[in-house]
Amino acid sequence: MWPKKLAIAILAIHANPLAALGSRDTGGMSVCIRELAAELGARGHRVDIYTARPAGAAGPEMGLAPGVRLVTVGEGDASVPKAELAGQAASLARAVARQAAAEGMVYDLVHSHYWLSGLVGALLAREWRLPHLVSFHTLAAVKNRLACGEDEPPARLAAEAFLARHCQRLLASTCTERQELIDSCGASPERIALVPWGVDRRRFCLGDQGEARRQLGLPGAGRLLLFVGRPAPIKGLERLLAACRELALPAPSCLLVIGGDEPAASGPPLSPGLPVLRLGGKDHRQLPLYYQAADLVILPSCWESFGLAALEALSCGTPVLATPVGAMPDLLHPGRNGLLLGDTSPAGLAQAIRRLLDRIGRGHFPRPQVRSSVAGSSWSQVADRLLAEYAGLLLPPAALPPPGRMEAGQGVAWR
């Protein structure tokens, strides 16, 4: 049992955790922040989540769960490109500090999510003399190496390397991410803790496939393929669409695409191939029905920091076909809950889809078996591991490592 109740400052500067999932900057990271904060709050800890992005008509403060607040600081202009927030790190840190001082808030530690939050968190941790933990979620060096989309700027590369050297703890969600932090950012292995992400197993649960389709207004017959992810090149949607052009499945089979800001009622057949229903972003609470309705969830990402959609699908008992990135090699076990792609070309992906659908049709991958494969992944279990890491850093201030100073040219300094 934790000996004291903590006050935790969580920074989610560039992406409001309440924004619609599947939009450009809102995905698995926002789910992780919300779920872990709620779990910590339920245990009696005080959690304040600071963001620079407004959520609709919400005011500057909003209660999310018992013991958990979302606090918007700075100008709160959602139109500002996220990369430009790096130049505002000092002013945003001052805004957080002013807000905390006005309320008499004293925190025990700072936990930053993503590199932009890390810059703000580094300044606050130095000012407050607190431990600083950083969860990067994605890394610029890895994204640049994969060449999926636009190159990440040098400022981000420098910031991630700085934070990896000077924060008290880096949290990696997979063994692959841990090694990438060492190889790409020069992080010391002893600074890195492995804390895999989790899933709400009460919400993401087994359900009747036919009833789920009925509630969603989807055909009861035919094969239903499902893609869930942000509209970013790294997620591999174009690869999946190319593979679907080679698929001939009996009507009314289709591919559902969840993610993006704007839904479209339907898309044209892929000449030849499957019809595509582009549904845009969906409320996270609606996703279990889509997972339950699907025959197969397909995640052909070029890279994943973790792959939360796979964990959610498996918790609903739905098999997953995915590229061997992020947590997928740990989550997917051929013959039990899905398949890892060997050939990631569109033709190879199409062949794997056909093979997996055939096995599902012959009674392989029963849903209770698929769900049981992720039995140890509840948010409560993740919170236990996270609190253990927090405990290791709550030392007397004199025992904290001396804070690093940001180098000139990074555009950030405490003034």
Side-chain angles (χ1 to χ4, degrees):
M1 184 69 70
W2 190 267
K4 63 170 286 189
K5 301 306 180 186
L6 302 179
I8 305 161
I10 290 180
L11 303 183
I13 295 299
H14 86 290
N16 191 308
L18 293 187
L21 291 180
S23 58
R24 181 175 178 82
D25 294 323
T26 310
M29 183 184 79
S30 295
V31 174
C32 293
I33 292 172
R34 290 197 319 242
E35 296 287 346
L36 277 174
E39 183 66 34
L40 294 173
R43 299 182 185 201
H45 304 293
R46 169 71 181 269
V47 182
D48 285 344
I49 305 171
Y50 290 94
T51 183
R53 301 292 174 130
E61 297 180 22
M62 175 182 290
L64 300 187
V68 182
R69 291 189 309 165
L70 178 71
V71 184
T72 303
V73 296
E75 296 300 320
D77 185 356
S79 67
V80 175
K82 66 179 180 179
E84 292 183 16
L85 291 174
Q88 301 177 21
S91 63
L92 288 167
R94 286 196 295 268
V96 173
R98 283 195 300 268
Q99 179 77 15
E103 297 181 336
M105 279 300 303
V106 177
Y107 296 105
D108 293 293
L109 53 89
V110 179
H111 188 168
S112 300
H113 290 264
Y114 198 65
W115 70 281
L116 292 169
S117 296
L119 293 179
V120 178
L123 297 171
L124 289 167
R126 190 174 74 187
E127 175 76 0
W128 289 337
R129 292 289 292 155
L130 293 179
H132 184 206
L133 301 90
V134 178
S135 299
F136 280 125
H137 296 271
T138 63
L139 290 171
V142 176
K143 293 181 74 173
N144 287 351
R145 185 171 70 244
L146 293 172
C148 290
E150 297 180 1
D151 281 351
E152 294 295 323
R156 177 176 177 180
L157 290 162
E160 289 176 347
F162 168 83
L163 291 165
R165 293 193 305 269
H166 293 295
C167 71
Q168 277 66 59
R169 184 73 81 244
L170 293 164
L171 299 183
S173 60
T174 66
C175 293
T176 300
E177 185 183 3
R178 182 181 186 277
Q179 193 60 48
E180 287 165 347
L181 286 167
I182 297 169
D183 296 341
S184 300
C185 299
S188 300
E190 61 271 15
R191 286 181 181 265
I192 307 172
L194 186 62
V195 181
W197 299 128
V199 64
D200 184 343
R201 287 177 58 79
R202 291 166 297 183
R203 177 178 296 164
F204 292 88
C205 60
L206 296 175
D208 182 85
Q209 186 179 45
E211 175 61 19
R213 291 189 181 193
R214 187 192 67 78
Q215 289 190 40
L216 295 171
L218 297 169
R223 293 299 192 181
L224 184 60
L225 310 183
L226 177 62
F227 169 92
V228 178
R230 292 180 295 109
I234 204 167
K235 294 296 185 179
L237 177 57
E238 292 304 317
R239 177 190 297 166
L240 174 57
L241 294 177
C244 286
R245 293 187 182 94
E246 304 185 21
L247 286 174
L249 299 178
S253 300
C254 68
L255 169 68
L256 293 184
V257 175
I258 293 180
D261 296 314
E262 297 296 331
S266 64
L270 294 176
S271 302
L274 291 179
V276 178
L277 302 179
R278 295 177 180 266
L279 304 179
K282 290 292 179 182
D283 188 292
H284 196 234
R285 292 168 294 187
Q286 293 179 292
L287 289 183
L289 276 178
Y290 286 96
Y291 291 129
Q292 293 163 3
D295 291 290
L296 179 63
V297 172
I298 306 172
L299 302 171
S301 303
C302 301
W303 182 74
E304 287 280 357
S305 57
F306 184 78
L308 199 59
L311 186 55
E312 293 172 346
L314 295 174
S315 188
C316 289
T318 307
V320 172
L321 173 64
T323 43
V325 297
M328 302 307 174
D330 297 323
L331 291 176
L332 295 185
H333 310 288
R336 185 179 182 191
N337 62 4
L339 186 66
L340 288 169
L341 275 167
D343 181 356
T344 59
S345 69
L349 179 53
Q351 183 179 15
I353 292 171
R354 284 191 291 264
R355 185 165 70 250
L356 203 47
L357 287 176
D358 177 67
R359 295 188 67 188
I360 292 169
R362 289 187 285 114
H364 294 268
F365 308 107
R367 297 206 168 203
Q369 171 185 294
V370 173
R371 175 174 166 81
S372 70
S373 69
V374 291
S377 301
S378 71
W379 283 115
S380 177
Q381 291 163 309
V382 176
D384 288 340
R385 290 191 283 266
L386 183 61
L387 284 169
E389 295 304 323
Y390 288 171
L393 293 179
L394 292 178
L395 306 173
L400 284 175
R405 296 191 63 82
M406 292 200 170
E407 300 168 4
Q410 289 184 240
V412 180
W414 187 271
R415 293 188 287 271

